[in-house]
Amino acid sequence: MINRRFFLLTGIVLAVLTVATIGGSFYMLDYSLAPEPDRTDTAMYLRKQFADYPETRPWVDSLRGCHALHDTMVTMPTGEHHHAYYINKGSRKTALVIHGWRDCAINFLFLARLYEHDLGYNVLMPELHAHGLSEGDLIQMGLFDSDDVLHWLTLFKADTMVVHGVSLGAATTMMLSGKTMPEGIKDLRFVEDCGYTSVWDEFAGELKQQFGLPPFPLMFTTSLLCKLRCGWSFGEASALEGVRHCNYPMLFIHGSADDFVPTFMVHRLYDAKPTKKAIWIADGSAHAESYLNHKAEYTKQVKRFLNSVN
């Protein structure tokens, strides 16, 4: 009788834990990968950009005045329609600026200004799958995004190119950097600003920090659910693997006070990159605020990197 009750109670507990884990996995995946609800409100994001970086307002007005700022929509190899902003300066140099998680291209006009106004580049600002005006239901966290950015890079190929990403955009940039690039680019470089080592590392860290939970079992079940639902697992989305196979120059940037993508990650990434690398730690900066806090030094570091001998 006792054994029967024991097995019954054990079964009930296991069933409750299983249901809770499955439910938690669905919640975690939707919490992490759901797009920003206001992602298409470009006017709101433009107001925010002008408030945070007032120097971009007259610059954007001047671009509009000479019809140099263009909306671009292309059909990706997946069949989705993806959006980008393109600033055509008539240069033989083009920079791709890649935005962050649950963000949009407009919020990174400050970086576009750095490249167009200060460095003389054309600038392409793609909006990733499920961001901004691009199609998509769930955020991809960089793995398939890197294929999309490669497609953009191929379409807008120039003699000299740089891909500069922030946060999710930085992880995407690093995952891209290990791929085979189109022929004909004479000088190609990458800048990553506060990117994570892998989706597994980032989500496991946030799970512990926000909810006080260990990786097992929720990380494993949610990663499996992501594989079934989206076609990729947390471990596959690895910036570390990207930089290990990257033969192009790369600048690593990170804020010393970043606790969203912890600063220790940049040192692991830097160490994994075989050659042709530079690093700058922005003193006291939180996540994705290195330029905001250190505009002159940030610009200096990027200029130095782009002008260095390959």
Side-chain angles (χ1 to χ4, degrees), residues 19-34 207 210-211 213 218 222 225 229:
V19 170
T21 300
I22 293 173
S25 298
F26 276 94
Y27 174 81
M28 180 179 174
L29 195 66
D30 288 336
Y31 175 85
S32 304
L33 305 185
L207 186 65
Q210 292 197 37
F211 302 101
L213 295 175
L218 202 55
T222 309
L225 177 62
R229 190 172 173 185

Side-chain angles (χ1 to χ4, degrees), residues 80-146:
E80 288 184 346
H81 296 97
H82 282 201
H83 174 260
Y85 295 100
Y86 181 55
I87 302 168
N88 186 358
K89 194 178 179 69
S91 174
R92 298 177 71 87
K93 303 184 295 183
T94 297
L96 275 68
V97 173
I98 316 299
H99 63 76
W101 176 73
R102 298 188 79 186
D103 220 319
C104 66
I106 286 176
N107 268 348
F108 291 83
L109 281 169
F110 67 90
L111 275 185
R113 181 180 179 275
L114 185 158
Y115 279 101
E116 190 276 340
H117 183 268
D118 296 344
L119 299 174
Y121 280 67
N122 306 322
V123 183
L124 179 70
M125 305 178 70
E127 295 191 304
L128 303 178
H129 172 96
H131 289 85
L133 301 179
S134 293
E135 293 181 343
D137 297 324
L138 291 174
I139 295 171
Q140 298 178 142
M141 298 304 295
L143 183 62
F144 295 152
D145 297 310
S146 63

Side-chain angles (χ1 to χ4, degrees), residues 6-308:
F6 173 78
F7 286 119
L8 179 60
L9 288 173
T10 300
I12 291 172
V13 170
L14 289 175
V16 170
L17 289 176
T18 300
V19 170
T21 300
I22 293 173
S25 298
F26 276 94
Y27 174 81
M28 180 179 174
L29 195 66
D30 288 336
Y31 175 85
S32 304
L33 305 185
E36 174 61 41
D38 297 324
R39 69 192 233 201
T40 61
D41 191 347
T42 55
M44 178 193 71
Y45 284 111
L46 199 58
R47 289 193 299 271
K48 182 178 184 300
Q49 175 68 191
F50 292 160
D52 293 341
Y53 302 91
E55 67 273 16
T56 60
R57 181 188 288 272
W59 172 70
V60 168
D61 289 342
S62 68
L63 291 176
R64 286 172 168 171
C66 62
H67 307 289
L69 180 60
H70 306 280
D71 279 279
T72 303
M73 191 76 74
V74 303
T75 302
M76 307 304 288
T78 59
E80 288 184 346
H81 296 97
H82 282 201
H83 174 260
Y85 295 100
Y86 181 55
I87 302 168
N88 186 358
K89 194 178 179 69
S91 174
R92 298 177 71 87
K93 303 184 295 183
T94 297
L96 275 68
V97 173
I98 316 299
H99 63 76
W101 176 73
R102 298 188 79 186
D103 220 319
C104 66
I106 286 176
N107 268 348
F108 291 83
L109 281 169
F110 67 90
L111 275 185
R113 181 180 179 275
L114 185 158
Y115 279 101
E116 190 276 340
H117 183 268
D118 296 344
L119 299 174
Y121 280 67
N122 306 322
V123 183
L124 179 70
M125 305 178 70
E127 295 191 304
L128 303 178
H129 172 96
H131 289 85
L133 301 179
S134 293
E135 293 181 343
D137 297 324
L138 291 174
I139 295 171
Q140 298 178 142
M141 298 304 295
L143 183 62
F144 295 152
D145 297 310
S146 63
D147 294 328
D148 294 335
V149 175
L150 180 59
H151 187 66
W152 283 110
L153 187 148
T154 304
L155 290 176
F156 287 80
K157 186 172 65 173
D159 289 346
T160 299
M161 302 195 76
V162 56
V163 183
H164 187 141
V166 180
S167 191
L168 163 60
T172 301
T173 296
M174 289 185 280
M175 293 179 207
L176 165 68
S177 71
K179 296 181 182 291
T180 301
M181 300 296 153
E183 296 181 359
I185 303 173
K186 297 177 183 177
D187 188 352
L188 174 60
R189 302 182 184 221
F190 297 90
V191 180
E192 78 84 18
D193 181 343
C194 65
Y196 41 81
T197 49
S198 71
V199 172
W200 181 279
D201 293 342
E202 177 61 18
F203 284 2
E206 283 298 292
L207 186 65
K208 181 178 181 180
Q209 182 172 317
Q210 292 197 37
F211 302 101
L213 295 175
F216 184 84
L218 202 55
M219 280 291 297
F220 294 85
T221 54
T222 309
S223 180
L224 176 59
L225 177 62
C226 187
K227 182 70 172 181
L228 295 172
R229 190 172 173 185
C230 305
W232 57 275
S233 68
F234 295 168
E236 289 177 294
S238 172
L240 275 171
E241 284 304 306
V243 298
R244 284 186 180 122
H245 296 93
C246 176
N247 296 315
Y248 299 93
M250 182 175 291
L251 171 61
F252 297 82
I253 297 173
H254 218 103
S256 67
D258 193 340
D259 58 3
F260 184 66
V261 177
T263 308
F264 73 80
M265 287 191 179
V266 73
H267 298 291
R268 290 184 61 198
L269 290 161
Y270 181 80
D271 291 343
K273 176 80 168 68
T275 58
K276 303 176 184 177
K277 56 188 178 179
I279 188 170
W280 174 56
I281 305 300
D283 186 42
S285 291
H287 185 66
E289 293 185 357
S290 295
Y291 179 83
L292 181 65
N293 301 149
H294 306 276
K295 293 179 182 178
E297 184 63 25
Y298 194 109
T299 302
K300 177 183 174 181
Q301 292 288 337
V302 171
K303 283 183 177 179
R304 178 186 296 168
F305 170 70
L306 295 179
N307 292 329
S308 64

